Amino acid sequence: MPIQYDAQGRIFHIQHTVTSMLLSVETLPNGYDTVLFRHFGAPVSPDCLQDEELQRDRWISFDSYHAAYPYALPTAGHGDFRPAQLSVRDKDGINCTLLHYTGYEIYDGKQPLCGLPATYVEQESEAVTLVLLFCDPFTGVTVRSSYTLFEESGAIAVHCSITNNGEYPVTVTKAMSVSITLPGDYDLLHLHGAWARECTVERAPAMHGERVIRSRRGASSHQHNPFAVLLPRGTGEFEGEAFGVSLVYSGSYSITAEQDELDQTRLVAGINEEDFAWPLAVGESFQTPEVVLLYTANGLNDMSQRYHQLYRTHLCRGYWRDRARPVLFNNWEATYFHFNQEKLLTIAKSAAELGAELFVLDDGWFGKRDDDTTSLGDWVEDTAKLPGGLKELSDQIHALGLQFGLWFEPEMISVRSRLYEQHPDWLLCAPNRPMTPSRNQHILDFSRADVQDYMIDTVSDVLRRGGIDYVKWDMNRHFSEIGSAQLSAQQQPGLHHRYILGVYRVMEALTRRHPHVLFEGCSGGGGRLDPGMLFYMPQIWVSDNSDAVARLSIQYGASLVYPPSAMCCHVSAVPNHQVLRVTSLDLRGKVAMSGVLGYQLDPTALSDAERAEIRAQITLYKELRHILSDGTFTRLQSPFEQNVCAWQIVHGDDLLVFAFQTLQIANRLPMKLRLHGLLKGHYQTADHSKTYSSDDLCAHGLVIPFTRPHDQLLGDFSGWMMHCKRVK
Ligand code: DGJ
């Protein structure tokens, strides 16, 4: 049994071959029972706690045991001065929640969360769950804190739910999903960025005092991905301990780490507590989103691979989860808003000839949308552009042997729209305040059930009418001056969370009603590249930046937690529209096929030679697609540190190695790339020209051709790929 309770020692042991978590029940000097977080890391036995004295009261006045104990569920208001997980104000406004541990449950499997995305099991044997039960005798508030251990990955998914079982209303003012306390000091690694510059890897000491990674934007954001890793100084890609923290949530959030005065590091993660309050009437419950914790002793790659495995198979869902994702052509950078039916058909026809499987019509097909000033909310085709309507275009695309996909931005509204004329109160806004403009659009109040229902029916109707096979779900504005016409003053502070719950409800309904439609997440690129979205949409447009060189860093960073099968990557035209860089089609193809391959250009504007090259890329991709999407992805060299970035993918006996050079450097020794974790044996190149032993590849390294004699140099912005098979 991977979760055990030692009744004598009062210790819970969440146990896996690669990790242990120990939680001990203790009686506090005030008579309460509590649960302490005693160990998270490498596998241990509960005996390791036998000599450990808990820090009791210290003689300097204010630092009681509360300030030292590693509480499993720290609450606010009673002398634990580190970041709390939970804070509840009672009917008199007093914030002092002292939880009394009352019992536990252990069961096989995992219960779904209600209305929130979460990891799941298909068989009960895939996970086991521990629920710790707590109660605050003063307010009657009870808490269920769940820890689910996944058998295959060793990941531990944590969340809690809070119920008002008292006699008076209370207000939850902070409800984080998890708290961990680890001895010692750590670096904190996270992925920061901006629009078109997502997933930059940054690592810095967690420090005394709080270090916070936060989004206040209403979306998980380009700026800070909802993911962090605590890691000792020496940890690298292949060695050392790492503690991953990945929040399954798409709204405003925070992850706070603080090294305390005793040099323990506490980390709490969950809904952003800054603009949050949730009144709980008697009998009501509140559930936090889920956080997935992952410990490794073997470096960041091992952590990432286990996240990839978990998210691919126990977070992504539905018809498309395990299916080969279609190679798509998207018209956005080919035409922007300026297209008509004929132009679209020319692109689609050429795309079909090149081997594409899906044609995606992006922004501009509805209302009177010839630019971004109008029509969001009016999801009816513009017959000036599509005289035969969506259905006719869809039939024509299908007749070319392609699937047909459509862009939506369901959460948004333009003031210049029929929807706004009919429902001005459906806007999120702070009445009588000037509104900060952002891309000429505003946000629909998705906290309202009537707005949610309207959007479910509207989008559903277009999908059915248009015979749509794929949806690109975009979201291009963050929150400012928000308020909901339907919420009370007490409920407004929960608006960020109520909004995202509404978004999830709409996504759940649409993906259920249209189980065969492939949904792709997008938020101006990677503004909502998060596990919450992956629950509804198995692939995400990682960035609006489609420049191959910029993409190396973005995809490398994203791979810390997200599997390549979740990352949509397009080959676009040169000069690149975001950075004006000119790179070869070869490089663009190799970078894009490291994720889910697509194209975002006008194939009719290319030369015959370029079209032939694309045809060959697509053929190769289809041949390798199962390796690329289901294989084990390993980062070998970082674009953040070196001029040559590299990764490998292993699937059964297949091995793919990709290396990319940014700028050519003169006069170098031959460059060797050491591969990693290969099965013992020999690997032969796909053209049978060479055979390498796994030991040589891992210990000595593979010579990569960026250092050839002068006349054979690959030069700046070049890519290289090798496909080998293990031979017996
Ligand atoms: C932002 C997206 O990220 C782009 O790919 C494109 O769909 C535009 N929106 C359309 O407005």
Side-chain angles (χ1 to χ4, degrees):
M1 188 68 160
I3 299 188
Q4 282 168 343
Y5 180 57
D6 164 8
Q8 212 186 348
R10 301 210 294 174
I11 297 173
F12 294 99
H13 188 188
I14 302 177
Q15 193 179 2
H16 189 271
T17 48
V18 296
T19 192
S20 279
M21 187 182 279
L22 295 176
L23 302 157
S24 72
V25 180
E26 305 289 337
T27 303
L28 297 174
N30 64 12
Y32 276 55
D33 277 350
T34 192
V35 180
L36 300 184
F37 191 88
R38 303 295 295 280
H39 172 87
F40 179 36
V44 292
S45 87
D47 293 346
C48 68
L49 302 182
Q50 61 190 314
D51 296 331
E52 226 170 77
E53 275 279 309
L54 284 169
Q55 177 92 22
R56 296 283 157 178
D57 267 340
R58 280 171 282 155
W59 60 277
I60 295 291
S61 58
F62 226 97
D63 277 351
S64 74
Y65 55 90
H66 283 312
Y69 275 14
Y71 287 104
L73 208 168
T75 49
H78 56 80
D80 179 347
F81 301 109
R82 295 159 294 177
Q85 181 175 344
L86 195 65
S87 177
V88 180
R89 289 197 182 269
D90 69 13
K91 67 172 192 343
D92 302 317
I94 291 173
N95 177 15
C96 180
T97 311
L98 193 50
L99 291 176
H100 177 52
Y101 164 75
T102 55
Y104 71 93
E105 295 164 9
I106 294 176
Y107 61 85
D108 286 337
K110 181 179 195 282
Q111 297 294 323
L113 273 69
C114 181
L116 279 166
T119 52
Y120 63 87
V121 293
E122 286 170 310
Q123 313 284 334
E124 283 196 344
S125 58
E126 290 168 354
V128 55
T129 299
L130 163 69
V131 186
L132 299 174
L133 308 173
F134 298 90
C135 152
D136 173 6
F138 283 96
T139 57
V141 164
T142 58
V143 181
R144 294 172 62 85
S145 183
S146 300
Y147 299 76
T148 298
L149 173 70
F150 280 88
E151 195 50 47
E152 200 172 341
S153 58
I156 302 175
V158 191
H159 80 279
C160 68
S161 59
I162 304 141
T163 303
N164 183 356
N165 283 316
E167 289 172 19
Y168 301 99
V170 297
T171 304
V172 180
T173 51
K174 185 175 186 186
M176 308 308 276
S177 309
V178 71
S179 164
I180 60 174
T181 307
L182 302 171
D185 56 338
Y186 295 87
D187 282 351
L188 188 73
L189 180 151
H190 88 294
L191 304 173
H192 74 95
W195 171 78
R197 192 162 37 77
E198 294 84 350
C199 294
T200 305
V201 179
E202 187 168 73
R203 178 176 178 165
M207 303 191 307
H208 292 94
E210 292 180 12
R211 173 101 203 283
V212 188
I213 295 161
R214 191 192 303 276
S215 166
R216 303 179 175 96
R217 294 168 177 266
S220 53
S221 88
H222 309 266
Q223 284 70 15
H224 300 284
N225 201 271
F227 165 70
V229 193
L230 287 175
L231 63 180
R233 302 284 123 83
T235 295
E237 286 287 16
F238 297 106
E239 64 289 312
E241 295 189 296
F243 301 83
V245 180
S246 169
L247 187 54
V248 186
Y249 192 57
S250 314
S252 301
Y253 75 92
S254 72
I255 300 176
T256 304
E258 178 178 348
Q259 191 182 331
D260 69 17
E261 71 221 62
L262 303 172
D263 287 336
Q264 308 175 99
T265 298
R266 167 157 318 156
L267 180 145
V268 297
I271 296 169
N272 178 27
E273 71 281 19
E274 269 187 352
D275 191 5
F276 175 82
W278 200 276
L280 270 191
V282 173
E284 282 183 352
S285 293
F286 180 84
Q287 188 183 224
T288 72
E290 177 171 284
V291 162
V292 178
L293 302 174
L294 224 156
Y295 166 79
T296 180
N298 301 314
L300 289 165
N301 263 309
D302 182 59
M303 176 203 72
S304 304
Q305 286 159 4
R306 293 200 275 125
Y307 271 122
H308 295 178
Q309 188 275 331
L310 181 76
Y311 285 174
R312 259 192 5 235
T313 59
H314 291 85
L315 178 66
C316 294
R317 300 179 295 170
Y319 180 81
W320 284 101
R321 186 186 76 177
D322 304 325
R323 284 192 160 71
R325 309 287 168 67
V327 177
L328 68 81
F329 266 68
N330 174 306
N331 75 309
W332 179 241
E333 288 192 9
T335 64
Y336 293 104
F337 294 103
H338 314 296
F339 57 82
N340 56 30
Q341 190 157 342
E342 198 190 329
K343 177 68 190 166
L344 296 176
L345 282 170
T346 335
I347 295 177
K349 189 160 175 288
S350 175
E353 283 162 10
L354 300 180
E357 296 160 315
L358 163 67
F359 175 77
V360 179
L361 172 52
D362 211 281
D363 196 354
W365 58 267
F366 52 91
K368 297 268 163 279
R369 190 144 164 108
D370 295 326
D371 55 34
D372 64 14
T373 60
T374 171
S375 300
L376 291 170
D378 295 345
W379 301 109
V380 176
E381 60 267 47
D382 177 1
T383 45
K385 286 179 183 167
L386 308 176
L390 262 184
K391 180 70 173 88
E392 185 181 281
L393 176 65
S394 168
D395 289 345
Q396 289 164 327
I397 301 280
H398 286 135
L400 293 169
L402 295 172
Q403 297 168 38
F404 181 45
L406 213 51
W407 178 95
F408 286 90
E409 198 175 357
E411 298 154 68
M412 296 293 146
I413 181 165
S414 306
V415 169
R416 287 177 56 203
S417 67
R418 287 187 25 220
L419 187 66
Y420 184 74
E421 281 163 23
Q422 288 157 8
H423 298 286
D425 56 328
W426 279 12
L427 216 76
L428 278 185
C429 72
N432 306 321
R433 272 73 144 202
M435 290 186 79
T436 306
S438 179
R439 212 195 182 203
N440 305 302
Q441 64 191 61
H442 297 285
I443 304 172
L444 274 172
D445 183 356
F446 262 53
S447 73
R448 295 173 64 133
D450 52 354
V451 173
Q452 296 162 21
D453 291 340
Y454 174 85
M455 211 39 79
I456 293 168
D457 289 341
T458 304
V459 175
S460 209
D461 182 51
V462 178
L463 299 191
R464 214 172 290 119
R465 250 184 339 105
I468 306 300
D469 306 296
Y470 157 108
V471 168
K472 176 175 172 187
W473 183 304
D474 207 348
M475 192 275 194
N476 287 300
R477 193 205 202 281
H478 290 160
F479 287 14
S480 66
E481 299 95 15
I482 63 159
S484 168
Q486 264 194 352
L487 295 180
S488 68
Q490 289 71 30
Q491 290 168 323
Q492 295 286 359
L495 183 51
H496 283 241
H497 184 58
R498 290 176 195 274
Y499 173 87
I500 207 73
L501 287 178
V503 171
Y504 288 150
R505 180 174 165 248
V506 175
M507 288 182 176
E508 181 69 27
L510 285 170
T511 49
R512 270 186 195 279
R513 274 197 205 176
H514 305 276
H516 298 300
V517 170
L518 172 58
F519 282 79
E520 176 171 319
C522 171
S523 177
R528 272 199 316 211
L529 171 63
D530 61 62
M533 282 297 132
L534 286 180
F535 185 67
Y536 305 97
M537 313 192 172
Q539 58 186 53
I540 294 179
W541 174 230
V542 180
S543 177
D544 269 359
N545 191 340
S546 56
D547 167 60
V549 176
R551 273 283 180 148
L552 291 175
S553 308
I554 295 170
Q555 292 172 209
Y556 190 96
S559 79
L560 257 297
V561 61
Y562 304 109
S565 60
M567 295 186 210
C568 275
C569 306
H570 294 178
V571 172
S572 59
V574 289
N576 173 268
H577 293 199
Q578 293 77 41
V579 298
L580 299 183
R581 190 175 285 126
V582 176
T583 56
S584 67
L585 194 48
D586 180 66
L587 176 75
R588 284 175 275 153
K590 289 192 167 78
V591 175
M593 73 169 67
S594 297
V596 176
L597 177 68
Y599 291 79
Q600 191 164 165
L601 44 71
D602 180 355
T604 63
L606 301 177
S607 68
D608 287 349
E610 287 171 318
R611 271 198 294 274
E613 196 174 340
I614 290 184
R615 192 177 294 113
Q617 275 175 3
I618 295 178
T619 307
L620 177 69
Y621 175 73
K622 287 178 181 168
E623 221 176 280
L624 304 178
R625 181 158 47 185
H626 66 289
I627 309 172
L628 291 158
S629 61
D630 303 342
T632 302
F633 181 92
T634 305
R635 294 176 298 275
L636 297 172
Q637 268 186 211
S638 165
F640 296 103
E641 290 161 13
Q642 302 188 42
N643 189 44
V644 170
C645 152
W647 43 69
Q648 71 174 44
I649 300 143
V650 174
H651 184 257
D653 288 334
D654 285 291
L655 163 68
L656 293 174
V657 184
F658 288 86
F660 307 97
Q661 171 169 262
T662 313
L663 292 179
Q664 180 66 45
I665 296 171
N667 192 12
R668 281 193 296 195
L669 283 175
M671 180 174 292
K672 281 177 289 183
L673 186 65
R674 285 174 67 176
L675 307 192
H676 206 271
L678 301 183
L679 290 176
K680 283 263 178 223
H682 285 82
Y683 286 83
Q684 192 174 64
T685 52
D687 63 4
H688 305 293
S689 64
K690 284 187 182 163
T691 305
Y692 303 93
S693 89
S694 54
D695 286 347
D696 291 353
L697 289 173
C698 296
H700 184 75
L702 176 70
V703 176
I704 46 174
F706 298 129
T707 45
R708 287 167 162 170
H710 182 247
D711 57 341
Q712 297 169 27
L713 277 181
L714 290 181
D716 294 350
F717 310 141
S718 50
W720 174 82
M721 189 200 92
M722 186 181 81
H723 178 203
C724 286
K725 263 195 185 297
R726 196 161 72 101
V727 285
K728 307 277 166 6

